[in-house]
Structures are given as C-alpha cells and as structure tokens.
Amino acid sequence: MTGSDIAGLIAAGVFAILVALLAIPIWKLGKVFDELRSAVKDVSDGTTPLLTEVTSTVATTNDQIRKVDGITSHVSDASANISALSSLTAATIGKPLIKVAAFSAGVRSALGTRPSGKGRRSR
C-alpha cells in the first residue's frame, strides 16, 4: 500500500464518519417534519367541523336578527299609533276638561265662594 492509498482510506473513513454524523440530524429533522405534518392534519381535521358549526351559527343568528328587525318595526309602528292616540285623546278630552275647569272657576269666583279645605290664607 502506498501513501496515497492510505490517505484515500483515511479520507474515505472520515467521509463515512461525516456522513454518519450528518445523517443523525437529517433523520431527526425528518421526524420533526412528520410531526409537523401530523399536527397540520389534526388542525385541518379540527377546523373543518368548526367552520361548519360557525356557518350554522351565523345562519341561525341572521334568522334571529331578521325576526328582531320585524319586531322592532312592529314596535315602532305601535309606538307611533300610541302617540297618535294620546294626541287624539288629549285633543278630544283635554280641551273640554280645561273649559269645564275654567267655567267652574268662573262660577265660583262669581258667587264669591271658595273651596273648602286647606288653601292659601290671606294676610
């Protein structure tokens, strides 16, 4: 064996050791990628039912909002009707009552009688 043959054997041995040392991290990195792929698959499998459930919830919420919108429009109509009814009642009953009260006050003052009970005393 010549010196170049021995140098070639040493280089081949060092290269084999280098390949063995680099193979271990590469193998571990492969395991990390397998775990990563498994985690992504689990997240994907869990996300699909979640998205289906969210879609169902949003659809149900939209239906409820439509119902609430109908209720609020009916309440708005009812409050407008009640306002008109109270204005009509005030106009129909309020003005005649004021006239009757004014008339009775005028009759009392004309007759010179004062209502009994606690009232203002004159000084």
Side-chain angles (χ1 to χ4, degrees):
M1 250 196 203
T2 63
S4 63
D5 289 337
I6 294 175
L9 284 176
I10 292 174
V14 169
F15 183 72
I17 292 173
L18 180 66
V19 168
L21 289 176
L22 289 177
I24 293 172
I26 290 174
W27 188 27
K28 288 183 180 180
L29 185 63
K31 286 184 179 181
V32 168
F33 282 140
D34 289 340
E35 288 296 322
L36 182 63
R37 183 184 50 165
S38 174
V40 168
K41 184 177 184 280
D42 289 343
V43 167
S44 175
D45 291 343
T47 303
T48 303
L50 182 64
L51 289 175
T52 303
E53 194 172 320
V54 166
T55 303
S56 172
T57 303
V58 167
T60 304
T61 303
N62 285 338
D63 290 340
Q64 294 298 324
I65 287 174
R66 279 190 211 104
K67 289 179 183 178
V68 168
D69 187 39
I71 290 170
T72 55
S73 67
H74 291 305
V75 167
S76 174
D77 292 343
S79 65
N81 290 340
I82 289 171
S83 175
L85 182 63
S86 67
S87 297
L88 178 66
T89 303
T92 304
I93 296 173
K95 287 182 182 178
L97 283 177
I98 291 171
K99 288 179 181 178
V100 168
F103 178 74
S104 65
V107 168
R108 267 187 297 194
S109 68
L111 295 177
T113 59
R114 290 194 174 178
S116 62
K118 294 182 179 178
R120 284 181 72 182
R121 285 196 249 170
S122 56
R123 292 183 186 187

